[in-house]
Amino acid sequence: MIERRAVFSHRWLPIALVAPQLAVTAVFFLWPAYETVVSAFYVQGAFGGSEHFVGLHNFTALWDNASYLHSFGITLIFSAATTLLALSVSLLLAVNANRALRGAKVYQALLAWPYAVAPAIAGVLWLFMLNPSVGLLARALDGLGVPWDFRVNGTQAMVLVVMASAWRQIAYNFLFFLAALQSVPSSLIEAAAIDGAGPIRRFWTIVFPLLSPTTFFLLVIDLVYSFFETFGVIDTVTQGGPANATNILVYQVFETGFVGLDLGGSAAQSVVLMLFIIGLTVLQFRFIEGRVRY
Amino acid sequence: MVERRGLSRVIPHIVLLAGLLLVGFPIAIALIASSHTAADLVGHFPATFGSHLIDNYRHVLLAGSTNKGAPVATMLWNSLVMALGISIGKIVISIASAYAIVYFRFPLRGLCFWLIFVTLMLPVQVRILPTYQVVADLHMLDSYSGLIVPLIASATATFLFRQFFFTLPDELLEAARIDGAGPLRFFWDMVLPLSRTTIAALFVVEFIYGWNLYLWPLIVTTRENMSTIVMGIQHMVVVADQTPSWNWIMATAVLAILPPLLVVIFMQRQFVKSFVEPEK
């Protein structure tokens, strides 16, 4: 922490200033998080009341729970696909926006705005285009001989939620990539060009390595997004179906807790998600602290 | 750029136009669909705008889309209150705690900082049931305070203000002290006016965050007239035993996109600036 030379001295004012933030943090963040961790080690009786300690039982039960393991696998596929799609499309667009001398600003403004669209609303927009009865794209696919019905076909449902989730995230990634590309010194590119490197080779040997801090940052952001923020997409588009084909972990936690009322099981699943996000946050901060540059 | 001839000048524009199509197509479809009757959307998708634009928007705003569910005007109002409450709340309590952490020495200062930091790792999805329980115990379900207060702790906003305060020169504080200004006066007359850009940038990011929340309003509200537009649209889409009224749903979707979009457009400069800092 950078220290300041000049500070005020006052007995209660600083406490009063941090108090609201700490109160909200303690009541709505730390206490529920503590409760979550504790209840992951308990089993609750069918009608509340009697609770008893079961150690790691809730966790081992997850390991034996086929539908949870399935959901785990689904989440990995969904997150990897969403992240890769969002990163690659936005990088492609940013590289081209950086190359387009004319109109770069216009492109930037027109490509950035879907960031304002809620994931759930993005889901509704894509659902409309791809719903089997009136969807424009669904009918076009049928016309091309692809029988499209994501309400029956799990793979198609997955494609739909990945498209909707990535669509919104492209805008966010695009802004970061473009900013990073604009800070690559043009003298480097020119030097490589003089040495006879073509545009593609220059991109992979010079530009892409220079972008790696941004890419890593966005990779973490997109993973967190696809793990947690996409709940709205799933709930509006597929509700986890068909046959659990899009039942990602956050959706499963919600179902186990609020629909199934299995408190211990839901808490154990929450703890697994907690470990995941703690890992990613620590990784990100160590990376930012280290500021890896090439 | 190095190459300046032929194809290499055209290709970027082709790729970008394809990108614009990808980004703009779903919205164009939504706008067109929201101007037709439900019957017009069955069969071939209309290529042009219909004549029911105003009818459809008036209908959803005043009556909602299905028999049940609140009118969209109510949901928009709830979303607005929630988004403003969250963004303003986060800014106020974060600027206060950042000011305390940077400009004062007090016991457990380091601990306070770490406790705030920890919230980054605890999104509502990983502590969902107990958080619901706390809100229920405090009788905050189905209320604006329940939608807003539990979310106004913000590590990101606190870090951003702290970062910004470190860039202010120490001489500023020394000069203020010589003039006899106390900590509150210094805050009001110097720090707050200087923080305007940071506040604006944060407002954009947090307004969009608040407006777009889905899971939180879903669990803390049960009454229809408390639902927000982003989660309320789900009840229009998922209807049992009947075809969804897509013209009305698309009108609702457009209305749900409009407010955060306007914030982005009118505060574009601050918005882009806010991207310099990581957002959570």
Side-chain angles (χ1 to χ4, degrees), chain A residues 13 39 46 51 70 80 84 88 107 116 128 134 141 144 174 181 199 205 219 225 234-235 246 249 273 278 286 294:
Chain A
L13 187 62
S39 55
E51 264 190 329
H70 176 254
L84 275 178
S88 53
Y107 286 122
F128 177 57
V134 300
L141 283 169
L144 292 171
F174 171 78
L181 282 165
T205 56
L219 180 72
Y225 165 78
I234 304 291
D235 197 37
T246 53
L249 287 173
L273 285 175
I278 289 172
R286 288 189 75 169
Y294 295 88

Side-chain angles (χ1 to χ4, degrees), chain A residues 14-214:
Chain A
I15 312 285
L17 288 173
V18 286
Q21 174 101 283
L22 287 182
V24 174
T25 303
V27 175
F28 297 106
F29 285 77
L30 301 178
W31 171 251
Y34 168 77
E35 282 275 279
T36 302
V37 174
V38 169
S39 55
F41 295 96
Y42 282 83
V43 162
Q44 201 147 41
F47 303 100
S50 62
E51 264 190 329
H52 53 272
F53 184 76
V54 290
L56 291 172
H57 174 265
N58 288 325
F59 293 96
T60 51
L62 285 185
W63 188 248
D64 296 329
N65 182 340
S67 90
Y68 180 77
L69 292 181
H70 176 254
S71 170
F72 208 96
I74 290 292
T75 309
L76 292 184
I77 295 169
F78 171 76
S79 302
T82 303
T83 304
L84 275 178
L85 189 63
L87 282 177
S88 53
V89 174
S90 57
L91 180 59
L92 180 72
L93 291 175
V95 166
N96 283 288
N98 194 38
R99 285 175 63 102
L101 300 174
R102 243 168 264 206
K105 277 262 177 301
V106 180
Y107 286 122
Q108 181 182 336
L110 289 176
L111 286 169
W113 64 266
Y115 166 61
V117 179
I121 302 294
V124 173
L125 295 179
W126 283 86
L127 176 66
F128 177 57
M129 294 192 294
L130 280 160
N131 87 80
S133 45
V134 300
L136 178 64
L137 296 183
R139 277 195 232 140
L141 283 169
D142 272 332
L144 292 171
V146 182
W148 175 272
D149 191 348
F150 74 90
R151 291 173 303 193
V152 184
N153 185 322
T155 313
Q156 292 181 351
M158 179 59 89
V159 170
L160 175 53
V161 289
V162 166
M163 296 275 276
S165 306
W167 177 76
R168 178 202 175 260
Q169 202 63 1
I170 286 170
Y172 189 84
N173 294 349
F174 171 78
L175 278 173
F176 277 94
F177 273 136
L178 188 58
L181 282 165
Q182 282 167 347
S183 68
V184 172
S186 56
S187 56
L188 272 181
I189 312 281
E190 281 153 17
I194 291 166
D195 286 348
I200 293 170
R201 194 184 153 95
R202 287 200 305 265
F203 176 78
W204 288 114
T205 56
I206 299 172
V207 179
F208 191 70
L210 282 169
L211 288 182
S212 61
T214 308

Side-chain angles (χ1 to χ4, degrees), chain A residues 215-229:
Chain A
T215 311
F216 178 80
F217 167 75
L218 289 174
L219 180 72
V220 174
I221 291 282
D222 287 1
L223 279 177
V224 171
Y225 165 78
S226 60
F227 258 75
F228 297 99
E229 301 302 317

Side-chain angles (χ1 to χ4, degrees), chain B residues 265-277:
Chain B
I265 290 170
F266 283 112
M267 303 180 86
Q268 181 110 38
R269 231 156 25 106
Q270 287 86 349
F271 171 64
V272 172
K273 181 182 150 48
S274 70
F275 273 85
V276 178
E277 284 298 318

Side-chain angles (χ1 to χ4, degrees), chain B residues 120-131:
Chain B
L120 272 185
M121 305 186 206
L122 300 170
V124 66
Q125 288 89 344
V126 308
R127 52 184 167 84
I128 177 166
L129 270 174
T131 313

Side-chain angles (χ1 to χ4, degrees), chain B residues 2 12 67 72 91 105 117 128 134 147 150 155 157 159 210 212 222-224 238 278 280:
Chain B
V2 186
N67 315 333
V72 170
I91 288 169
R105 294 279 166 279
F117 174 79
I128 177 166
V134 169
L147 283 171
F159 289 165
N212 290 349
T222 49
R223 295 210 326 261
E224 272 160 10
V238 186
K280 199 53 169 268

